[in-house]
C-alpha cells in the first residue's frame, strides 16, 4: 500500500489523466482514506474536476484557476489544506517537494533538506 500520491503537472499530462477511470479510482482511494494527495501545475484541476477541492484552499498554474471547482484560489506557490498539497508549477517544485517532505517526515527534516540545497534567495 502507498502512503501518498503525487500527480505530475503539465497540460499534456492533464489532458491524458483527466477523466481517466484508473486515475479517478486511485485518487478517490487516496482521498477516501485521508492519505496525502499532491498535485502541481495543471494537475490540481484534476482534483477540482472531481470535487475534491470543494471548500479547500488551493493553487495551480495560472490560467487553470477556473478548473479548481469549489476551491478558494490562493496566489501562494504551494498550498497545503488538509491532506491535499497543490503547487503552481515548475518554479515552485522545490517548495512543493519540501512541503511533502515536511508532511511525510517532520518540519525539522524539511528544514535540514532546505539547508542542504543551497537555494538562492536573491
Amino acid at each position: 500500500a502507498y502512503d501518498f500520491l503525487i500527480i505530475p503537472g503539465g497540460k499534456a499530462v492533464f489532458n491524458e489523466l483527466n477523466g481517466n477511470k484508473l486515475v479517478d479510482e486511485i485518487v478517490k482511494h487516496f482521498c477516501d482514506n485521508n492519505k496525502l494527495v499532491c498535485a502541481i501545475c495543471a494537475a490540481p484541476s484534476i482534483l477540482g474536476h472531481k470535487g475534491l477541492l470543494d471548500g479547500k484552499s488551493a493553487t495551480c498554474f495560472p490560467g487553470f484557476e477556473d478548473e479548481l471547482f469549489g476551491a478558494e484560489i490562493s496566489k501562494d506557490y504551494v498550498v497545503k489544506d488538509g491532506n491535499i498539497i497543490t503547487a503552481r508549477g515548475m518554479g515552485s517544485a522545490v517548495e512543493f517537494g519540501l512541503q511533502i517532505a515536511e508532511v511525510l517526515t517532520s518540519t525539522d527534516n524539511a528544514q535540514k533538506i532546505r539547508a542542504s540545497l543551497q537555494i538562492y534567495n536573491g
Side-chain angles (χ1 to χ4, degrees):
Y2 297 96
D3 295 324
F4 63 99
L5 174 66
I6 300 175
I7 306 171
K11 187 173 182 177
V13 173
F14 167 79
N15 290 338
E16 189 65 32
L17 298 182
N18 189 46
N20 179 298
K21 290 184 189 224
L22 179 58
V23 172
D24 289 349
E25 290 174 17
I26 292 168
V27 171
K28 182 178 182 336
H29 170 78
F30 277 81
C31 287
D32 286 352
N33 289 284
N34 203 34
K35 292 186 176 194
L36 185 63
V37 176
C38 312
I40 188 168
C41 193
S45 57
I46 292 171
L47 303 177
H49 284 204
K50 294 173 187 7
L52 300 172
L53 299 177
D54 196 29
K56 292 186 178 282
S57 185
T59 193
C60 63
F61 192 82
F64 280 84
E65 294 89 352
D66 290 345
E67 307 295 324
L68 304 185
F69 305 132
E72 178 182 318
I73 307 299
S74 173
K75 296 290 183 190
D76 291 341
Y77 285 91
V78 177
V79 175
K80 180 186 176 300
D81 191 335
N83 66 315
I84 295 178
I85 299 174
T86 55
R88 293 188 85 182
M90 185 177 73
S92 58
V94 170
E95 290 301 321
F96 181 60
L98 289 169
Q99 180 65 68
I100 294 167
E102 181 176 330
V103 170
L104 296 176
T105 61
S106 68
T107 299
D108 184 54
N109 190 52
Q111 289 173 345
K112 287 177 185 175
I113 294 169
R114 176 187 300 283
S116 74
L117 294 177
Q118 300 298 309
I119 299 170
Y120 175 72
N121 291 319

